[in-house]
């Protein structure tokens, strides 16, 4: 028996949530936390968040949003993009 997972994507750039990597479709009003909550409430098995930040300041803001997402839902969150060092990845979950 095969098992399929529903894993929606959130592309995060400039504190806005997008549905596609071309950043042409805003998710709702662009609130990533609200989008993650919607996905979680609608049965997502996991949520993939891609951090498309371009400098340290925008990266720190993205980390803050990722922390808000992980605190607001029980659904596992997968994070990708802009990971240059392993210790930086630990900032996402607050550890």
């Amino acid at each position: 028996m095969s098992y399929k997972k529903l894993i929606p994507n959130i592309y995060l750039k400039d504190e806005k949530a997008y549905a596609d990597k071309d950043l042409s479709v805003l998710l709702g009003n662009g609130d990533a936390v609200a989008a993650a909550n919607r996905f979680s409430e609608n049965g997502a098995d996991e949520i993939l968040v891609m951090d498309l930040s371009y400098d340290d300041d925008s990266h720190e803001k993205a980390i803050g949003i990722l922390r808000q997402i992980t605190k607001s839902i029980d659904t596992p969150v997968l994070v990708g993009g802009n990971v240059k060092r392993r210790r930086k990845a630990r900032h996402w979950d607050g550890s």
Side-chain angles (χ1 to χ4, degrees):
M1 180 178 193
S2 67
Y3 179 73
K4 296 180 173 111
K5 288 186 175 184
L6 175 61
I7 307 174
N9 297 332
I10 297 174
Y11 293 90
L12 187 58
K13 179 148 187 183
D14 296 327
E15 302 179 66
K16 295 285 184 188
Y18 295 89
D20 63 330
K21 65 182 177 182
D22 297 324
L23 309 177
S24 61
V25 179
L26 200 61
L27 287 172
N29 66 356
D31 182 344
V33 178
N37 276 300
R38 260 192 324 276
F39 289 146
S40 181
E41 290 167 359
N42 285 296
D45 294 303
E46 297 172 341
I47 298 171
L48 173 60
V49 181
M50 295 298 294
D51 173 12
L52 303 178
S53 57
Y54 47 87
D55 61 18
D56 288 341
D57 185 50
S58 63
H59 183 60
E60 289 302 317
K61 290 176 182 175
I63 289 171
I65 292 169
L66 289 163
R67 285 183 180 157
Q68 290 175 33
I69 290 171
T70 58
K71 288 179 182 177
S72 70
I73 62 173
D74 291 327
T75 303
V77 177
L78 309 171
V79 180
N82 205 356
V83 179
K84 296 181 177 120
R85 293 180 295 279
R86 183 180 181 105
R87 69 182 170 92
K88 266 299 214 191
R90 294 185 183 190
H91 289 284
W92 287 327
D93 67 1
S95 57

